[in-house]
Amino acid sequence: MAAEERQEGKMDMQAMMEAYKKLATPGAPHRLLSRMAGSWNARMKSWMEPDKPPTETTGACEQKMVLDGRFLQQEFSGDMMGSPFNGIGFMGYDNNTKKFVSTWMDTMGTGIYLFEGDMGADERSITQVSRYDDPIQGPMEWRSVTRIVDNDTLAMEMYSTGKSGKEEKMMEGTYTRKK
C-alpha cells in the first residue's frame, strides 16, 4: 500500500481488505516452521560460567502449528539446575515486517521474552535477537540460532552479551524426533 494512501487513509475498503488478506496468508517461511512440528526428545547443555564445563540435562518438546499454519507453538519440559523446568513459546513469520518473531516464557522467571530475526542464507536456520534487562547483570542481548539439521534433528544455540560486550554461549540443544 502506498505510503501516501496510508497516511491520508484514502485507500478504499476493498483494497485494504485485499492487502490485509495477503499479509495474513502463510507462505514459505511458515512451511519452514511447520517442519519443526512434532514430538521431540531434547539433550541440553547449559553454561553457567564460561570457564566451567556445561551442565547436561534432557527434556521433551512438543511443537505444533496453530492458527491455520501461521505460528509454531512450543512446549518444553525438563529440568534446569536440579529443578523442574517448563517453557512455552510461539514462533511465527510476520509477512509485513519480513521478520521471524517469537515469544518465550518459562518457570525460571515472570518475563515474556520477545525475539526477532531472519532466516539464514541456507533457508534451514533462523537467527533471532532479544534484549533483556537481567536483574543481576543489567541489560543483556540474547541471540538464538535454530537450525533444521534434517527431518528428524533440530539444533538450538543461545548466546548472551552483557556489559562486557563479549558474546558467550549460554546453551545448546539437540532435538531428536520421537519415533
Side-chain angles (χ1 to χ4, degrees):
M1 143 170 39
E4 304 83 40
E5 289 176 336
R6 269 196 302 200
Q7 288 176 346
E8 296 177 23
K10 290 184 178 180
M11 183 175 255
D12 70 61
M13 186 58 73
Q14 182 64 33
M16 247 175 36
M17 294 309 292
E18 288 300 317
Y20 283 122
K21 182 178 179 182
K22 183 178 178 184
L23 288 172
T25 303
H30 303 93
R31 286 189 292 279
L32 175 71
L33 293 174
S34 72
R35 293 182 60 195
M36 294 187 273
S39 298
W40 303 86
N41 290 313
R43 287 183 298 114
M44 309 299 292
K45 291 182 182 180
S46 300
W47 285 263
M48 301 305 159
E49 297 179 57
D51 55 343
K52 304 258 169 120
T55 302
E56 297 189 34
T57 60
T58 60
C61 187
E62 296 293 324
Q63 301 193 133
K64 65 181 179 182
M65 294 301 291
V66 297
L67 299 176
D68 300 324
R70 289 175 176 84
F71 301 95
L72 179 68
Q73 177 182 323
Q74 307 160 309
E75 292 188 34
F76 183 91
S77 61
D79 63 272
M80 180 74 67
M81 297 187 290
S83 296
F85 175 82
N86 294 290
I88 298 172
F90 289 90
M91 185 183 292
Y93 181 80
D94 185 332
N95 287 332
N96 185 45
T97 63
K98 308 264 188 270
K99 296 282 185 183
F100 283 91
V101 291
S102 63
T103 61
W104 181 256
M105 56 204 119
D106 60 45
T107 54
M108 289 192 65
T110 56
I112 298 175
Y113 307 103
L114 307 172
F115 288 81
E116 181 180 83
D118 299 300
M119 183 182 327
D122 61 2
E123 297 186 357
R124 296 172 69 88
S125 62
I126 299 168
T127 300
Q128 296 182 299
V129 174
S130 177
R131 285 169 182 69
Y132 169 66
D133 191 11
D134 185 88
I136 307 300
Q137 301 178 61
M140 301 189 74
E141 182 174 283
W142 289 345
R143 181 173 66 91
S144 72
V145 179
T146 303
R147 190 169 37 89
I148 298 173
V149 177
D150 57 42
N151 287 335
D152 296 319
T153 313
L154 304 175
M156 182 276 296
E157 296 175 331
M158 180 78 80
Y159 301 87
S160 68
T161 304
K163 291 178 186 176
S164 71
K166 180 182 174 191
E167 184 178 77
E168 296 175 347
K169 187 181 241 184
M170 296 171 41
M171 187 177 353
E172 72 179 32
T174 301
Y175 294 76
T176 306
R177 191 179 300 275
K178 292 180 182 180
K179 300 288 179 177

